[in-house]
Amino acid sequence: MATLIESLTALAVFAIGASASATWLARSTADTSQASARVRALGIASDMEARLRAHRAGVHAGHYRHAIPARIDCRKACSPAQLAQHDLAAFHAALASAWGRGANGDVACDQGACLIRITWPGGALHWGVAP
């Protein structure tokens, strides 16, 4: 009889441990997924920040404030407004590549300071830039 009680006790301890391990694994997987999404968002925001810093004249002229993303080939020559449209199109393309239609983002510039906002399913990032 003692062997049966010992076996059931061992089985109960094992079940509790297995349940705790499964819970830990599920939580770890969710945290890893959230961290991965945040790293993608940071990469996209950093790329947009570099574009804003490279085009300071366009930021100060207000071209990013009202620019509508457009696919423009700026390899030869573009006006500052066209370059802002090109940069925003690249920004939105990167968001779509990372999360599909579930992502949204915008760039708001005022008096030379910009705020890059990115939202995706399950998270958001607000990134301030002073080019």
Side-chain angles (χ1 to χ4, degrees):
M1 185 74 164
T3 306
L4 179 60
I5 292 173
E6 289 171 354
S7 296
L8 290 174
T9 303
L11 183 62
V13 169
F14 176 76
I16 291 169
S19 176
S21 292
T23 301
W24 171 79
L25 181 62
R27 180 66 186 173
S28 175
T29 301
D31 289 347
T32 299
S33 176
Q34 289 176 356
S36 177
R38 185 166 281 298
V39 166
R40 278 184 284 180
L42 286 170
I44 293 169
S46 293
D47 178 64
M48 190 63 207
E49 178 183 7
R51 290 173 183 274
L52 292 169
R53 288 186 189 279
H55 191 216
R56 287 184 180 150
V59 171
H60 292 294
H63 294 304
Y64 286 90
R65 188 177 315 145
H66 302 292
I68 297 170
R71 299 243 180 247
I72 299 170
D73 185 7
C74 283
R75 286 181 283 190
K76 292 183 181 178
C78 278
S79 70
Q82 288 175 322
L83 186 56
Q85 291 174 340
H86 171 76
D87 289 346
L88 289 173
F91 174 67
H92 286 285
L95 291 175
S97 175
W99 293 284
R101 293 181 183 228
N104 190 12
D106 69 339
V107 177
C109 296
D110 190 26
Q111 299 178 1
C114 298
L115 177 64
I116 301 168
R117 290 184 290 253
I118 300 173
T119 58
W120 64 91
L125 173 71
H126 294 190
W127 185 273
V129 179

